Amino acid sequence: LCVDGVVGINNQMVSRLPWSLVKLRCVAQPVHVETQFNYTRSISEKKSVTFVGKNIAFKNLDIFISISNEYLHQHKDTYVEIFGDMLGETDSILQAYDTENRDRVKFFGVINQEELLLEISNKKTILFQPTSETGGTIGVECISLGVPVICGDKIGLDAFFDPGTYKHSLPFNQLGKYYAVSKELDRIFDNYITNSEECIELSGKLSIEQTHFKLKQLIGNILSTQSSRR
């Protein structure tokens, strides 16, 4: 196999490749909401801590439940909303929440993308992603609508930006710590509109136009480097 360069969708993915190559990065995430539908966000005062994903191990739903259950105790004006296939375990997941919190936990199941984005963007929503996966599309879609995302640093949404660019990421070993996550939730909710607007502005770096430009630029650099060696 002869390879002159690698273009990946984030640093983390490229760094895992087993070969010694020219490693180049491109934030090539083709899911910005500019391509989905025209939508003007109308934010209600309802606060929601949200999970989106299938109930599979690396999504770390158990961490989300633990953190959000305690947060509901401390914040009576906040709700939990869970989207995705719970694999028939909705009842047991609800039972994992304390009795007094269960009436503020809502399951939406599997819904289409447009319904999902409309639902999470009509209130003061924060997406909490304790997942250990690299990449993913929902984070990009959320910030392009102004929905802040709490995730681990160097994974998930954070991995699409240069280090230190996305300000709502936490060290991965802090995602299961109530104090760390609740502090970030409070910080976002306390100044939600500003944080929302900053997310929309930042998401412009992941627009289709920007990512296509960057992709062409990186491929051009690889080809130019190879030509100069001949």
Side-chain angles (χ1 to χ4, degrees), residues 90-195:
T90 299
D91 289 342
S92 62
I93 293 170
L94 182 60
Q95 293 301 312
Y97 284 88
D98 294 339
T99 302
E100 65 186 83
N101 290 336
R102 292 173 191 166
D103 62 346
R104 288 186 285 142
V105 179
K106 183 175 182 179
F107 295 87
F108 289 82
V110 179
I111 59 177
N112 68 47
Q113 184 185 44
E114 184 167 339
E115 290 175 324
L116 168 63
L117 298 180
L118 286 170
E119 188 64 46
I120 65 176
S121 63
N122 65 9
K123 60 183 76 72
K124 292 182 177 178
T125 301
I126 299 174
L127 181 69
F128 175 36
Q129 286 191 305
T131 177
S132 58
E133 68 180 321
T134 300
T137 62
I138 185 61
V140 178
E141 294 166 333
C142 280
I143 65 167
S144 66
L145 284 174
V147 176
V149 178
I150 296 177
C151 60
D153 64 346
K154 301 178 183 178
I155 58 175
L157 177 64
D158 186 72
F160 293 115
F161 299 103
D162 292 330
T165 300
Y166 186 67
K167 70 179 187 179
H168 302 304
S169 62
L170 299 173
F172 184 72
N173 63 3
Q174 295 295 304
L175 289 179
K177 307 291 186 182
Y178 176 74
Y179 173 78
V181 178
S182 64
K183 183 178 180 180
E184 187 60 27
L185 287 168
D186 289 344
R187 190 171 74 85
I188 296 173
F189 278 135
D190 287 346
N191 201 9
Y192 189 85
I193 299 301
T194 297
N195 285 306

Side-chain angles (χ1 to χ4, degrees), residues 3-8 14 17 19 21-25 218 222:
V3 179
D4 298 314
V6 175
V7 177
V14 172
L17 293 174
W19 316 296
L21 302 170
V22 178
K23 296 180 180 179
L24 301 176
R25 182 177 72 91
L218 289 177
I222 293 172

